[in-house]
Amino acid sequence: MAIPLVNLLNTIEFHFLQPLPCLSFDDREIMIESLCKKLRFLQAFLEDSQKNNINCPAWRGLETEIRDVAAEAESKIESELYQLYNEEDAPVEPCQSLHQILQQVTRDIESLERRILQIQIESNRNHSVEPPRRNAAIQNINADSSSKRSSEPNNVMVGCDDEFDTIMHKLISDSNSLEVISITAWTTVSQKHNLREMLCDLLRSNDTNRDVSYLASQLRQKLLGQRYLIVIDDIWDTQAWDDIHRCFPEDLNGSRILLTTRLKQVADYVSSGNNLYSMRFLNLNESWNLFYKKVFVEKKFPLEFEKVGRGIVEKCQGLPLTIIVVAGLLSSSSNKPSLNQWENVVANLDLLLDIDPEKKCSKILSLSYDHLPPHLKACFLYFGIFPEDRAIKVKRLIKLWIAEGFLKLELNKSMEEVAYDYLQDLVDRGLVQIDKWSSFGNKIKYCKLHDVLRSFSLREARTEKLLYVINENDNVHELGVGLAASSLDRKACRWVVSDQLSHIDDEPISRSRYMTHTSHELRSFLYFPHNYVFGVHRNSIILPYSKLLRVLSISESPEYHLPREIVDLVHLRYLALRIHRRASINNYQWCKLRCLQTLIIFDDWASFSPNNILGMPHIRHVHFSQGSLKHRHLPKLVQGNLQTLSWLSLPQRFQTEPDFKAIPNVKELGIYLMGYEESYLSEETWDLLPPISMEGLLNLHQLENLKFETYRFFPKCDIKLLKAFPPNLKKLTLKGTLFSWEDMTIINALPNLEVLKLREDAFCGSEWKATGNGFCKLKYLEVTKLSSLEHWSVDADHFPILECISLNYCRLLVEFPTGFGDINTLQLIDLKNCHSLLVTSAKNFQEERRDLGDDKLVVRQFYTLPKKIIDGWKPADTSTKWSATPTPID
């Protein structure tokens, strides 16, 4: 596999050939470009041999040698660069030793080129290179990554209608009619259950720091007296049920729990033999419908392919995952497929499916995986770093892919755009699932991997020496029996500390335990705990022995002391960490991290002044906790790579206007407005200062996503702030700003705004009149914790294309605006912690739409608040607003 070759090529381009290279080669640049050309030749050879399924020993041996040479070359180059970058006066030109290394790498690559040409000559002469009998069937399927992109959400559900009716009957049995359920909640358990995560899922809470007993008590209190439907999906053991079922009160009011499992013994244990239903495989017609919708409808294939397609479906034997993966494989073929290609797939499936049933799915996955281009293989295997069934934030995944060097650069596209195309390609091939769409539904926000696919990716990552996953027993997670851990911890270049490390306090990673893992091999270290564990010093010990580290992600592992050596990791491209408890790292030489692209620092209660952070030449994404990054930290020189910046903390009153000219290409910006206490000014001095001017925002022509939050005890923001919003904004979030509803006319005039989120008294006043012409492009509206809003009137012309409205904790609002009835584009009303009368009003509105023949509108409600709770609650004084909780990182 060509992962090391892709990495080597990206490493050379990153350090020597991009617009702002870390080192300048001047007259030697020709040698670098020549080397890259030779590497692309090897890359094309590997891709062609894969595409043509050439499988003779000479070719396979050469592929292995190419991989080893590329990996060793990259280590030598970066080791030499490590020495150069860590010199006190880091040179701008490479030294003679680096030049000699590059010359040797060139000679090694030229030797491989000559051997390839020689083998090709001998192969043509002897006709000895023939496609192998097995797996040759799909040799002509194009492995290019240019499969058709799905631009719209496309969820497909087929079959099992009778089963769904049976399940529905079981849910509503003993009830005269299907009534409105107060609470619905869902959690996915998986093989290793985590009670804290299950409770947080059911509570719809992100507060994973709470004690389990507290969360359990909160859930039980939420459910007491309510009629609820709870879905517990993919449960694997009886202990998970024992841990969670005590939280479900039995009030004999028709509440239901729907549980899914693959194991009959678990189902028998939970149900005591009652209300048990076994799902079947898809029948032939249902299988065909699924295949048809995934291939024919989406790809517009000619109908003459139907006969062959039905033969393919029949051999999938009703397994939905197999059907989807095979459909993805065929969907990735060229725009002009031939019947011969599809017939070859049928022949290949005959070979793959005529085996033990337990191995069928794995073989099908291998078939699809083998025909990924090399760069997509690396991206797919990388999903193995994330815990099982973890919803993966796409923005984070993309930043990691970029840092790892998996991308092939494309003209006129940013790295983020290329990475998103890769993800979309993996989705189109049926290898990655969409978990959640963005607010306006045209971008994937969260994705995930089916657990079968994740197990497969881990096995392949082991083979490629790509990942080493450490679990609580320090064994390779899910990689099978018979593999010595030592064979991986000396070779795998990415370590993932995963899941419940119960011994983490007593037995941290030390030099003696892992000293066999040399600094030339470890490129990434990531920590994904199930629980938030305090007192972890694991990561500070591993740093000095990992000098080629590119990715260090330990933000979920609290560090009380951050070692000074962290700035010696000069190859870091992605750094995510947490510092607090008076940690002072201001005098660290952060400027040494010249390769850094993404920086994420949570610094609760820390004294951190990040000087020169934004001046790093390759920085693209920066996130700090509120209060750290101030106006004086904005770069003096133009920083054209910076795309994401949050939180930039500014005083709400200030004499000088912030200068945003040096960050002209920023696309996402989070601004936190501080009060006089956070600005370290007296109240008297504060009152003499004018409101801060934000007119510089109008110069940010690439800005699409803007977030504003304010100090929670400060008076309303000046209206001048609203007038500074650039017209190119697509997404706006306001929190705690206390604007008047009359000021909304400024926002609704933004011509490109598609998403608006109003949170925690962003606007105040009892009545919002949304009348007249307004938000011409708004698709998504969120209103959360507007404590004074009681009346809301709406004209359809005000939200002409609105698709979704989300209301949360609007406790005084008791009637859903009738004007929404004239907005034909409205598809979803999401109500959380709202008044029961508001929920009833929205349901009535939904019924009216149904009576008119429109059944597209969905109304969802979670934790509806009874009237008695509302009556006992009074809104807080607007001068003391909801406590400000920092918006989660993107």
Side-chain angles (χ1 to χ4, degrees), residues 36-258:
C36 289
K37 184 177 180 180
K38 296 176 186 300
L39 291 173
R40 293 189 186 99
F41 171 80
L42 296 186
Q43 191 172 9
F45 158 72
L46 292 177
E47 292 179 0
D48 288 342
S49 64
Q50 170 191 290
K51 187 185 301 184
N52 296 316
N53 285 278
I54 298 174
N55 200 26
C56 71
W59 287 79
R60 290 304 179 200
L62 191 55
E63 287 180 4
T64 301
E65 189 171 346
I66 290 173
R67 181 186 66 187
D68 294 341
V69 168
E72 184 178 359
E74 185 182 27
S75 291
K76 287 181 177 180
I77 292 171
E78 290 197 315
S79 294
E80 185 62 34
L81 289 172
Y82 176 84
Q83 302 298 329
L84 288 174
Y85 292 161
N86 266 310
E87 293 179 6
E88 286 191 14
D89 296 320
V92 295
E93 295 186 2
C95 63
Q96 187 63 28
S97 59
L98 178 59
H99 185 249
Q100 291 173 353
I101 290 173
L102 291 169
Q103 285 180 323
Q104 182 59 51
V105 171
T106 301
R107 288 193 292 268
D108 293 341
I109 299 302
E110 288 173 343
S111 174
L112 291 169
E113 279 186 307
R114 289 192 294 271
R115 291 179 57 191
I116 290 173
L117 294 174
Q118 183 64 33
I119 292 177
Q120 287 177 332
I121 293 172
E122 294 178 359
S123 299
N124 292 332
R125 182 186 305 131
N126 301 326
H127 304 285
S128 60
V129 178
E130 297 179 359
R133 295 181 180 178
R134 187 165 181 143
N135 289 338
I138 46 178
Q139 62 185 33
N140 294 319
I141 289 184
N142 186 0
D144 190 8
S145 62
S146 59
S147 65
K148 181 179 178 182
R149 314 288 183 211
S150 299
S151 58
E152 297 294 334
N154 191 6
N155 297 319
V156 176
M157 177 176 288
V158 300
C160 300
D161 293 339
D162 294 340
E163 282 75 6
F164 294 151
D165 290 341
T166 302
I167 293 170
M168 180 65 71
H169 174 73
K170 288 178 175 291
L171 288 173
I172 64 174
S173 61
D174 303 323
S175 176
N176 294 328
S177 63
L178 183 62
E179 302 172 8
V180 173
I181 295 177
S182 302
I183 296 174
T184 56
W186 186 301
T187 183
T188 301
V189 182
S190 299
Q191 293 186 50
K192 290 189 175 182
H193 82 280
N194 182 285
L195 182 57
R196 186 190 307 275
E197 288 186 357
M198 294 166 64
L199 292 169
C200 287
D201 285 346
L202 296 175
L203 286 166
R204 292 184 169 269
S205 169
N206 294 321
D207 190 2
T208 57
N209 298 340
R210 288 286 191 176
D211 182 77
V212 169
S213 59
Y214 172 83
L215 294 172
S217 175
Q218 285 290 104
L219 178 59
R220 187 170 179 82
Q221 289 299 318
K222 283 272 190 181
L223 298 178
L224 274 174
Q226 303 291 316
R227 191 177 188 211
Y228 57 83
L229 169 62
I230 302 292
V231 180
I232 303 176
D233 184 34
D234 198 19
I235 186 170
W236 283 71
D237 58 67
T238 58
Q239 185 60 49
W241 173 251
D242 290 339
D243 289 345
I244 194 69
H245 86 276
R246 300 180 183 89
C247 301
F248 305 138
E250 179 51 79
D251 294 326
L252 302 177
N253 59 358
S255 294
R256 295 289 187 267
I257 297 172
L258 178 62

Side-chain angles (χ1 to χ4, degrees), residues 198-423:
M198 294 166 64
L199 292 169
C200 287
D201 285 346
L202 296 175
L203 286 166
R204 292 184 169 269
S205 169
N206 294 321
D207 190 2
T208 57
N209 298 340
R210 288 286 191 176
D211 182 77
V212 169
S213 59
Y214 172 83
L215 294 172
S217 175
Q218 285 290 104
L219 178 59
R220 187 170 179 82
Q221 289 299 318
K222 283 272 190 181
L223 298 178
L224 274 174
Q226 303 291 316
R227 191 177 188 211
Y228 57 83
L229 169 62
I230 302 292
V231 180
I232 303 176
D233 184 34
D234 198 19
I235 186 170
W236 283 71
D237 58 67
T238 58
Q239 185 60 49
W241 173 251
D242 290 339
D243 289 345
I244 194 69
H245 86 276
R246 300 180 183 89
C247 301
F248 305 138
E250 179 51 79
D251 294 326
L252 302 177
N253 59 358
S255 294
R256 295 289 187 267
I257 297 172
L258 178 62
L259 181 146
T260 69
T261 180
R262 310 173 195 209
L263 305 176
K264 188 174 185 300
Q265 60 268 32
V266 175
D268 290 335
Y269 178 85
V270 172
S271 66
S272 300
N274 299 318
N275 294 317
L276 184 64
Y277 191 82
S278 297
M279 298 293 291
R280 59 173 174 81
F281 292 123
L282 299 180
N283 61 36
L284 191 56
N285 286 334
E286 293 164 343
S287 298
W288 171 249
N289 288 339
L290 177 59
F291 183 83
Y292 183 89
K293 290 179 180 180
K294 299 299 290 186
V295 176
F296 287 92
V297 174
E298 295 183 17
K299 295 288 293 184
K300 308 293 185 184
F301 277 72
L303 288 180
E304 58 262 28
F305 286 75
E306 179 173 336
K307 181 179 179 180
V308 180
R310 286 188 178 274
I312 293 173
V313 167
E314 185 175 358
K315 295 180 183 301
C316 290
Q317 301 178 356
L319 292 168
L321 182 60
T322 301
I323 296 169
I324 291 172
V325 171
V326 172
L329 174 64
L330 294 173
S331 296
S332 67
S333 60
S334 61
N335 292 328
K336 295 182 179 180
S338 67
L339 285 174
N340 182 56
Q341 289 178 2
W342 283 42
E343 289 168 351
N344 285 339
V345 171
V346 176
N348 201 57
L349 288 175
D350 279 335
L351 295 172
L352 293 179
L353 295 177
D354 190 22
I355 55 176
D356 189 302
E358 293 183 2
K359 298 180 180 179
K360 287 179 182 178
C361 196
S362 179
K363 292 293 184 181
I364 293 294
L365 297 181
S366 296
L367 177 66
S368 186
Y369 170 78
D370 287 343
H371 285 79
L372 290 176
H375 54 279
L376 278 189
K377 284 185 176 180
C379 292
F380 172 70
L381 296 187
Y382 200 72
F383 276 93
I385 72 169
F386 297 101
E388 184 182 15
D389 280 320
R390 171 75 65 92
I392 304 163
K393 194 156 192 175
V394 169
K395 288 182 180 180
R396 182 184 192 183
L397 176 68
I398 285 175
K399 292 167 188 173
L400 287 168
W401 278 353
I402 292 172
E404 295 285 6
F406 292 157
L407 309 184
K408 292 175 65 176
L409 300 182
E410 298 181 18
L411 292 176
N412 303 319
K413 277 189 176 183
S414 69
M415 288 190 286
E416 288 76 13
E417 290 171 333
V418 172
Y420 188 85
D421 286 346
Y422 284 12
L423 174 64

Side-chain angles (χ1 to χ4, degrees), residues 841-860:
S841 174
K843 286 286 187 179
N844 292 338
F845 169 73
Q846 180 188 34
E847 289 300 321
E848 292 173 3
R849 291 278 290 263
R850 286 177 177 171
D851 291 342
L852 296 174
D854 181 3
D855 58 357
K856 295 184 297 182
L857 179 63
V858 176
V859 177
R860 299 189 311 199

Side-chain angles (χ1 to χ4, degrees), residues 785-827:
K785 293 183 180 179
L786 299 192
S787 58
S788 58
L789 180 61
E790 297 184 52
H791 307 287
W792 187 8
S793 55
V794 170
D795 282 352
D797 293 339
H798 202 71
F799 302 106
I801 62 170
L802 191 69
E803 296 178 3
C804 174
I805 177 171
S806 175
L807 303 179
N808 189 10
Y809 274 107
C810 296
R811 302 192 181 197
L812 298 184
L813 190 64
V814 297
E815 185 175 358
F816 194 78
T818 57
F820 282 111
D822 297 323
I823 303 176
N824 296 326
T825 56
L826 189 62
Q827 299 176 20

